Amino acid sequence: MLEFDDVHVGYGRSTVLHGVSASVPADGVAAVMGHNGAGKSTLLRAAIGLLRPARGVIRLAGEDITKLAPHERVARGMAYVPQGQQCFPHLTTAENLQLIADSRPGGRAAMGEALDLFPALRALLNRRAGLLSGGQRQQLAIARALITSPKLLLLDEPTEGIQPSVVAEIEHTILGLTQRGGLSVLLVEQHVGFALRAASHYYVLESGRVTSSGAGGDSAQQAVREALAV
Amino acid sequence: MTVIVSQLFTGVSIGAVLLLIALGLSLTFGQMGVINMAHGEFIMAGAYTVYVLQKVITGAGWSLLIALPIAFAVAGAMGVLLEFLLIRRLYARPLDTLLVTWGVSLILQQAARDIFGAPNVQTKAPDALTGNVRITDDLVLSNNRLFILGLAGLAVVALTLVLRFTSLGRRIRAVVQNRDLAAVSGIPTGRVDRLTFFIGSGLAGVAGVALTLLGPIGPTMGTNVIIDAFLVVVAGGIGHLKGSVIVAFALGTLQSLIEYSTTVSVAKVLVFVAIVAFLQWRPQGLFTLRTRSMA
Ligand SMILES: Nc1ncnc2c1ncn2[C@@H]1O[C@H](COP(=O)(O)OP(=O)(O)OP(=O)(O)O)[C@@H](O)[C@H]1O
Ligand SMILES: [Mg+2]
């Protein structure tokens, strides 16, 4: 579904990813793990088009999307939930969703479906998003991404810094999404257990390079923990 | 007492013009992060639109009414052109943007001199606006100032409705609050930028039409008012409508009240000092909107 081919990308003059090659299978889940600062978020920013690779190619369903603007990638079926529970703080919960549903055929229905996945948001529709809790904001962020009915979802540490009871809920929803079919996911995740349960394929990033990769599932735990320990 | 009241009324109408200018400035300021120095010349373009139309349409009333939408479109188109040709390429380079728009402002002033001549020109005020509304024998409100007040009120209401209740409004607010998040959410930020510039600059054109009712039209008329409007935007909180409204009227009345007891230039200085003091106390202005961006 998504392919990174020898991608070099960085900020200004400093290069962060030094030739990353990885792929997300159609209808599958690829997990990216790695220590703080390894370049996981940078990889997702390159995927959605916030950063342009200095070298290398990114393909979506075979099409070279390396030079497309973010909104053009969204139009081709990509959606992105950035790290850190991001939302438009001065828009209400409803407006945060409406914004994406606007001018999209079937937008209203998609908004309803997204709210069905996170029913807790229904009671918060008229509250400014900046006043929501971290967990609520993360649910809003995932709901917002789903309104575009994506074929490929990029999730950057969806449960980071969120209280445990809500974490279980979000993990449950993500697992449900990945099993629904028709959706590929690139998941950046620090919790090895959850990442491998969700993923059919994993990558470990270290200082901007892939140092380990393989099939997902619980049997990969040993290999991933060793790769992360170095 | 009535002197104070009529002075207050003058102040409120000054505030209304300031507000018309500041509304547009605030929109484009919120969008690009720095002040558009050529905004004043869009005001001038709106004013000259009335002048040109009066050569074609003889009735001063009709020409004024027709000038409102045309000035909006003319100034709006100039804004879009500026955004598309220059500002878009200087994104995230605020100092360059400031200098370039200042250069454009000088070029536009010179263009006005070449086309319309250096001396100021006058337009005819419609008969309906030359009269007064007599409240008491001492308290007389001039029709043209009432008209301007109505125009500013209309602009505030219309802009509020657009920003609050339309999909374009949601998009504009989203881009101002977090441009990167808007982009990765699928919003074509470039198109939103151009529409923002059209509306913001168009409002400057409308302000230019209003200014023809208060004084002569000249190549530097925009420069004369833009600093005050800039103060309104900064003190009101960038990108914040309510703040602009409050500060514009506060500034207008403050200025005309001080003017009453001293002179115009002393009033200007005192108002300026008041704003600097205010910004020391509240550097973010009355309200804030902007949040950090992502990448
Ligand atoms: N905007 C930026 N400008 C310059 N350098 C940056 C920027 N953002 C990230 N970096 C650097 O790029 C490297 C990779 O950062 P990145 O955010 O991709 O790490 P990460 O793997 O997502 O870490 P974390 O687990 O903490 O989220 C880090 O060294 C970081 O300092
Ligand atoms: Mg990260």
Side-chain angles (χ1 to χ4, degrees):
Chain A
M1 190 59 173
L2 184 73
E3 271 174 273
F4 299 91
D5 188 353
D6 191 31
V7 168
H8 293 65
V9 65
Y11 303 88
R13 241 172 256 140
S14 77
T15 305
V16 172
L17 299 182
H18 307 269
V20 169
S21 295
S23 63
V24 184
D27 270 5
V29 180
V32 176
M33 290 163 279
H35 294 294
N36 293 129
K40 307 181 294 294
S41 298
T42 303
L43 185 69
L44 293 199
R45 286 187 199 126
I48 197 66
L50 279 177
L51 296 171
R52 291 279 162 85
R55 260 172 65 191
V57 177
I58 302 174
R59 285 186 210 90
L60 178 70
E63 183 195 5
D64 183 349
I65 58 166
T66 319
K67 295 203 167 65
L68 294 185
H71 74 267
E72 294 170 311
R73 301 184 197 211
V74 174
R76 280 166 176 70
M78 293 175 82
Y80 169 49
V81 179
Q83 192 169 2
Q85 302 118 32
Q86 299 213 30
C87 60
F88 301 102
H90 297 274
L91 300 188
T92 63
T93 301
E95 285 173 331
N96 264 271
L97 300 172
Q98 184 69 48
L99 174 74
I100 313 303
D102 282 336
S103 73
R104 199 175 287 280
R108 276 239 148 251
M111 194 168 146
E113 277 170 40
L115 283 171
D116 288 342
L117 275 179
F118 299 103
L121 292 177
R122 284 201 191 272
L124 305 165
L125 282 177
N126 293 320
R127 188 170 304 177
R128 273 177 31 196
L131 301 176
L132 302 183
S133 74
Q136 292 165 341
R137 274 207 310 277
Q138 187 64 292
Q139 298 187 19
L140 174 58
I142 299 174
R144 192 177 57 224
L146 291 176
I147 288 181
T148 60
S149 311
K151 288 183 288 191
L152 172 69
L153 185 59
L154 312 170
L155 287 170
D156 198 344
E157 305 205 28
T159 59
E160 183 200 27
I162 286 170
Q163 75 179 71
S165 65
V166 183
V167 167
E169 210 180 305
I170 293 179
E171 288 184 350
H172 179 78
T173 308
I174 292 173
L175 282 176
L177 284 173
T178 60
Q179 282 149 16
R180 196 158 72 172
L183 179 71
S184 312
V185 178
L186 178 53
L187 172 69
V188 169
E189 180 59 68
Q190 301 270 23
H191 305 124
V192 176
F194 171 60
L196 290 177
R197 213 171 343 126
S200 53
H201 210 85
Y202 77 86
Y203 296 89
V204 174
L205 269 186
E206 193 62 61
S207 307
R209 290 184 172 84
V210 175
T211 53
S212 167
S213 67
D218 284 335
S219 55
Q221 287 242 7
Q222 183 68 16
V224 170
R225 289 196 194 281
E226 272 170 25
L228 283 173
V230 217
Chain B
M1 183 58 208
T2 45
V3 176
I4 301 270
V5 174
S6 75
Q7 202 67 20
L8 268 179
F9 174 67
T10 309
V12 167
S13 64
I14 294 176
V17 176
L18 269 183
L19 181 58
L20 272 175
I21 301 166
L23 283 180
L25 196 60
S26 166
L27 260 187
T28 55
F29 196 164
Q31 187 267 110
M32 67 180 185
V34 297
I35 186 173
N36 171 17
M37 298 291 281
H39 195 77
E41 279 56 51
F42 298 158
I43 299 172
M44 172 195 79
Y48 277 114
T49 302
V50 181
Y51 175 71
V52 170
L53 273 178
Q54 289 202 343
K55 306 207 163 224
V56 189
I57 303 166
T58 38
W62 282 113
S63 60
L64 189 77
L65 279 184
I66 296 171
L68 284 171
I70 295 186
F72 187 93
V74 167
M78 288 170 71
V80 170
L81 218 59
L82 177 68
E83 199 280 336
F84 187 73
L85 294 179
L86 295 172
I87 291 173
R88 183 170 68 108
R89 296 165 206 276
L90 298 171
Y91 175 63
R93 284 159 66 186
L95 189 61
D96 296 347
T97 311
L98 204 69
L99 287 175
V100 163
T101 56
W102 185 50
V104 169
S105 141
L106 295 179
I107 291 171
L108 289 176
Q109 284 176 30
Q110 189 53 45
R113 262 179 223 113
D114 292 345
I115 300 172
F116 302 105
N120 287 347
V121 296
Q122 289 281 1
T123 56
K124 291 190 296 289
D127 294 338
L129 295 186
T130 50
N132 298 308
V133 176
R134 202 169 273 282
I135 308 286
T136 67
D137 273 351
D138 309 308
L139 183 58
V140 176
L141 309 181
S142 67
N143 284 353
N144 61 350
R145 288 186 185 268
L146 281 172
F147 176 78
I148 290 172
L149 206 57
L151 198 60
L154 201 69
V156 171
V157 171
L159 190 58
T160 306
L161 290 179
V162 167
L163 286 179
R164 191 118 0 122
F165 298 114
T166 68
S167 65
L168 174 63
R170 278 187 284 274
R171 288 176 165 207
I172 290 178
R173 285 185 289 152
V175 170
V176 168
Q177 284 172 40
N178 193 331
R179 170 175 295 271
D180 284 343
L181 187 60
V184 301
S185 303
I187 294 170
T189 51
R191 201 155 72 211
V192 174
D193 287 346
R194 283 193 280 291
L195 285 166
T196 309
F197 254 81
F198 185 74
I199 299 176
S201 309
L203 284 171
V206 171
V209 175
L211 276 178
T212 63
L213 294 171
L214 297 180
I217 303 167
T220 57
M221 64 183 291
T223 321
N224 300 338
V225 287
I226 201 68
I227 300 294
D228 287 354
F230 175 56
L231 291 177
V232 169
V233 172
V234 173
I238 288 150
H240 216 293
L241 226 67
K242 193 164 55 178
S244 294
V245 173
I246 295 171
V247 175
F249 286 120
L251 213 70
T253 43
L254 188 66
Q255 183 160 330
S256 70
L257 284 182
I258 302 175
E259 239 175 77
Y260 171 64
S261 41
T262 61
T263 67
V264 175
S265 29
V266 173
K268 271 228 178 324
V269 170
L270 287 179
V271 165
F272 195 79
V273 169
I275 290 205
V276 170
F278 173 75
L279 287 176
Q280 288 296 318
W281 169 60
R282 239 189 115 73
Q284 73 276 38
L286 266 185
F287 303 97
T288 43
L289 256 192
R290 204 164 263 278
T291 54
R292 75 196 173 89
S293 71
M294 285 164 36

